Amino acid sequence: MVAPGSVTSRLGSVFPFLLVLVDLQYEGAECGVNADVEKHLELGKKLLAAGQLADALSQFHAAVDGDPDNYIAYYRRATVFLAMGKSKAALPDLTKVIELKMDFTAARLQRGHLLLKQGKLDEAEDDFKKVRFTPDTWPEHQDPVSHTAQKKREKKEERKKEKIKAGPDFFPDSLPASCGTLAPFRLCSCSHPQSSLWDLTSEARASAPSPRPPRQLKSNPSENEEKEAQSQLTKSDEMQHLRSQALDAFESSDYIAAITFLDKVLEVCVWDAELRELRAECFIKEGEPRKAINDLKAASKLKNDNTEAFYKISTLYYELGDHELSLSEVRECLKLDQDHKRCFAHYKQVKKLNKLIKSAEELIKEGRYTDATSKYESVMKTEPSVSEYTIRSKERICHCFSKDEKPVEAIRVCSEVLQMEPDNVNALKDRAEAYLIEEMYDEAIQDYETAQEHNENDQQIREGLEKAQRLLKQSQKRDYYKILGVKRNAKKQEIIKAYRKLALQWHPDNFQNEEEKKKAEKKFIDIAAAKEVLSDPEMRKKFDDGEDPLDAESQQGGGGNPFHRSWNSWQGFNPFSSGGPFRFKFHFN
């Protein structure tokens, strides 16, 4: 049996060695972690240099996870974020770098730039000032966040020391196999006093090799950095002054002056959401809603959960008559806050109007112009307070009347639109079409020419103008519609009916006087020619396009002039048939 004293003596002789092994095991694990972090940092640096930003970012994420107190890892990750255009993500990392290392001037300068762009001028100036002074001259109160972080780190180190002094709970239940027969032993506080344990550990630490110190980045500002900091301080001071002037001008309702000042500030503070919203308000007051929309869209991205910006954008689009974009923006507002009262009320109104307009356009595509007209009348009743919807509705009603060959109504409504918008190309085209149906060729030509001044490349306008000019020239010669006394949009049955009536009236056999007979023969020939052209769909289309199918002058390579037919050539013509010669003649008593 082994005496207890000998065991105690033996354990006491190896105890310092045992503590060294435990301490080395702890430091070895720490060195292993640092090695992995270094590996991630080096690989990330190479990938960043190669422009592989996403892969570099993954490496720096791993480095930060491996060592949350490594300021280099945060700084390099911030660098990648900035290269990717993700300044919002870079800012917290730069702040963390400064918390971990207060004298890191490059990070301060970079953070100052970002804060300046965000319009946080006071905070930016604080960073630029600290770049210009040496770190040992900073009082602790100058950077309370960094000072607090430093105190936390010191307390953390104290807790580590206290944990080691505590003794038993610090050591693991088993030791590595390299410790041999010592592995089964478990130390307890009764073996040695705590003070002697700490002394032994200190001796072991003194004899152990020192770990490699972490790599340091340059901290002291260079001459260029100091110059840059001074330049940015001057710029920030200028922005402070301009912003103050802009606010004063806005309060005085001098919106043009406020816009001028804000333009200069936002050239530098490009990410300042509040100033963009202020400039948008000035644009609204000055009647420039589209410029206001651009600023509000930027503000909606720069500020989280900016429901007010989305609501304003939606209402501006609505007032401009763009109901689809208005609906899209108000939906974005409700995504952020489904209980937003103003957005919800506006959403219901826009949705109802949008449904009516879409339905009307579908009816136009189907050629149901009367139903489409009714829908657009409902649009005007649904939103009578926004003039844009009244104008657009009347414009489409004018189009429906023109396509439905109701020229009188089309001319009336199109003229109402053109009184409000003299340069409305759509209304000009539709009224010109209505004028053609009414055979008002000079008026049609004038509308087409006005429309062409505003849209030179519109093929429909060019073709319409050419057609109107041909019809005007044609009307000065012979107009088959006028000969039969029918409208240009007359149906075939109307044409046949008119022809029969006139053929009976002007048949030469009805006249005994030679002079009257010759006049009747000429008239009858014109009536028969008009019936021949207008009752044939292909010939009628040519005539409607300004080309006379029976006129040799308008037919390239055509033969003789059919208008010069003799009376004998028409003698077998039956005025009561639908066309073609017949086998007998009329004889009148």
Side-chain angles (χ1 to χ4, degrees):
M1 183 174 179
V2 181
S6 63
V7 173
T8 303
S9 175
R10 186 176 178 183
L11 182 58
S13 63
V14 299
F15 192 70
F17 177 67
L18 183 61
L19 288 178
V20 170
L21 288 176
V22 173
D23 196 47
L24 287 176
Q25 183 185 25
Y26 173 77
E27 290 190 356
E30 187 175 288
C31 290
V33 171
N34 288 337
D36 288 338
V37 169
E38 285 292 324
K39 183 178 177 182
H40 288 305
L41 289 174
E42 283 301 318
L43 184 54
K45 184 179 177 182
K46 291 178 181 178
L47 291 168
L48 178 59
Q52 299 178 37
L53 302 181
D55 294 334
L57 185 61
S58 297
Q59 294 298 323
F60 294 137
H61 279 323
V64 168
D65 292 341
D67 186 358
D69 291 332
N70 190 317
Y71 73 94
I72 300 174
Y74 287 105
Y75 183 71
R76 288 189 177 159
R77 188 169 70 174
T79 304
V80 177
F81 278 137
L82 290 172
M84 298 174 78
K86 298 180 178 180
S87 58
K88 282 186 178 180
L91 193 57
D93 274 0
L94 291 171
T95 299
K96 185 67 176 178
V97 172
I98 295 167
E99 288 178 5
L100 294 170
K101 189 169 178 58
M102 292 175 60
D103 59 348
F104 192 5
T105 56
R108 280 196 180 277
L109 193 58
Q110 195 66 261
R111 187 175 72 169
H113 280 295
L114 296 181
L115 292 170
L116 183 61
K117 287 184 177 182
Q118 289 183 345
K120 297 177 180 178
L121 302 179
D122 292 334
E123 296 176 45
E125 287 179 5
D126 184 61
D127 273 342
F128 295 138
K129 286 176 182 177
K130 288 181 179 177
V131 170
R132 296 182 60 235
F133 297 101
T134 55
D136 54 358
T137 63
W138 296 350
E140 290 181 350
H141 68 270
Q142 280 189 310
D143 199 331
V145 176
S146 299
H147 179 63
T148 302
Q150 178 66 23
K151 290 296 183 184
K152 286 182 179 179
R153 286 195 300 275
E154 290 175 1
K155 287 182 180 179
K156 186 176 179 181
E157 291 298 325
E158 288 295 328
R159 283 197 298 270
K160 279 186 180 180
K161 292 179 180 179
E162 289 172 3
K163 210 167 188 182
I164 293 173
K165 287 181 180 180
D169 293 336
F170 173 75
F171 297 102
D173 291 336
S174 60
L175 296 173
S178 59
C179 294
T181 57
L182 295 176
F185 285 95
R186 174 169 175 79
L187 302 178
C188 61
S189 57
C190 61
S191 299
H192 291 274
Q194 287 185 4
S195 57
S196 61
L197 286 175
W198 176 248
D199 293 338
L200 289 171
T201 306
S202 300
E203 293 174 8
R205 285 177 180 272
S207 62
S210 300
R212 185 176 61 178
R215 188 168 17 176
Q216 299 286 320
L217 292 181
K218 182 180 176 181
S219 300
N220 294 327
S222 65
E223 184 179 348
N224 288 335
E225 286 176 333
E226 289 185 355
K227 287 181 179 179
E228 176 66 14
Q230 181 57 52
S231 171
Q232 294 302 310
L233 271 173
T234 304
K235 184 182 290 185
S236 179
D237 184 62
E238 182 185 354
M239 294 306 105
Q240 293 271 29
H241 183 61
L242 287 169
R243 182 163 66 178
S244 178
Q245 288 179 304
L247 292 172
D248 290 342
F250 182 81
E251 290 296 325
S252 304
S253 301
D254 189 354
Y255 303 115
I256 294 176
I259 290 169
T260 303
F261 292 130
L262 290 169
D263 286 344
K264 294 177 181 178
V265 177
L266 286 168
E267 286 178 5
V268 177
C269 307
V270 291
W271 300 332
D272 192 324
E274 284 75 15
L275 290 186
R276 287 194 176 276
E277 289 175 344
L278 182 64
R279 188 170 68 174
E281 194 64 31
C282 293
F283 282 135
I284 293 170
K285 297 290 186 182
E286 287 299 309
E288 296 187 80
R290 295 201 178 275
K291 289 183 179 180
I293 287 171
N294 290 335
D295 270 343
L296 289 169
K297 281 188 172 181
S300 69
K301 295 176 182 177
L302 292 168
K303 188 190 293 184
N304 295 331
D305 300 332
N306 198 344
T307 54
E308 189 64 24
F310 284 116
Y311 173 73
K312 285 185 178 179
I313 294 169
S314 179
T315 55
L316 288 172
Y317 273 133
Y318 185 78
E319 290 167 5
L320 288 169
D322 200 330
H323 53 94
E324 290 183 339
L325 283 176
S326 177
L327 187 61
S328 174
E329 295 296 332
V330 77
R331 279 175 174 158
E332 291 299 319
C333 174
L334 291 173
K335 283 180 184 177
L336 296 173
D337 182 4
Q338 60 183 1
D339 297 323
H340 195 289
K341 290 183 178 180
R342 287 185 299 165
C343 283
F344 186 69
H346 184 61
Y347 168 74
K348 289 195 296 183
Q349 173 69 4
V350 182
K351 187 178 180 182
K352 181 180 179 181
L353 198 70
N354 187 63
K355 186 177 179 181
L356 282 171
I357 293 172
K358 279 191 171 182
S359 176
E361 288 302 312
E362 286 296 323
L363 291 168
I364 290 175
K365 287 180 182 178
E366 296 170 7
R368 297 166 59 186
Y369 300 113
T370 302
D371 293 336
T373 298
S374 178
K375 286 287 183 184
Y376 272 114
E377 287 172 350
S378 297
V379 169
M380 290 189 287
K381 291 177 183 177
T382 301
E383 185 47 271
S385 59
V386 180
S387 61
E388 191 65 25
Y389 291 103
T390 300
I391 296 172
R392 297 287 79 81
S393 296
K394 287 189 174 184
E395 178 188 313
R396 298 306 283 161
I397 290 171
C398 152
H399 177 74
C400 290
F401 281 142
S402 180
K403 291 297 180 183
D404 207 21
E405 296 187 343
K406 296 179 179 178
V408 176
E409 293 88 341
I411 291 169
R412 174 179 58 81
V413 179
C414 290
S415 297
E416 290 177 5
V417 175
L418 290 167
Q419 284 179 354
M420 295 180 281
E421 291 184 348
D423 300 333
N424 190 311
V425 173
N426 292 328
L428 285 167
K429 290 193 294 184
D430 287 325
R431 189 171 73 171
E433 287 290 330
Y435 279 142
L436 289 180
I437 296 173
E438 286 292 285
E439 301 175 12
M440 300 168 69
Y441 304 121
D442 288 321
E443 290 84 351
I445 289 171
Q446 185 178 351
D447 273 357
Y448 277 128
E449 287 176 342
T450 304
Q452 196 171 48
E453 289 174 6
H454 299 289
N455 195 342
E456 296 179 357
N457 300 321
D458 191 315
Q459 182 70 18
Q460 187 181 1
I461 295 173
R462 186 161 51 249
E463 292 174 355
L465 179 59
E466 291 171 357
K467 178 181 177 180
Q469 289 169 339
R470 286 196 305 268
L471 289 172
L472 176 63
K473 185 178 179 181
Q474 185 186 86
S475 68
Q476 295 167 350
K477 293 181 178 179
R478 189 182 300 268
D479 189 333
Y480 294 129
Y481 290 105
K482 285 185 177 180
I483 290 171
L484 294 182
V486 296
K487 295 286 186 182
R488 296 189 76 88
N489 59 346
K491 307 297 181 184
K492 185 175 181 179
Q493 292 82 354
E494 297 176 67
I495 292 169
I496 297 298
K497 182 179 179 181
Y499 163 72
R500 288 172 176 172
K501 180 180 177 181
L502 292 170
L504 285 174
Q505 180 183 346
W506 292 97
H507 197 285
D509 289 350
N510 292 338
F511 302 90
Q512 301 302 320
N513 183 282
E514 281 299 317
E515 187 174 338
E516 289 180 351
K517 186 182 283 289
K518 286 182 180 179
K519 182 180 177 181
E521 285 178 0
K522 185 178 182 305
K523 188 75 173 176
F524 189 83
I525 289 171
D526 288 345
I527 293 167
K531 188 260 182 185
E532 181 181 2
V533 171
L534 298 182
S535 61
D536 183 283
E538 186 176 343
M539 295 176 74
R540 182 178 180 179
K541 185 178 185 307
K542 287 184 178 181
F543 185 76
D544 287 344
D545 289 338
E547 178 185 335
D548 191 340
L550 300 181
D551 187 356
E553 292 180 3
S554 66
Q555 297 289 312
Q556 294 182 358
N561 188 349
F563 282 120
H564 292 166
R565 296 180 187 179
S566 66
W567 156 243
N568 292 330
S569 66
W570 294 102
Q571 283 193 14
F573 203 83
N574 181 1
F576 296 99
S577 73
S578 61
F582 59 85
R583 300 298 180 183
F584 57 90
K585 293 170 61 177
F586 280 110
H587 296 280
F588 295 90
N589 294 326

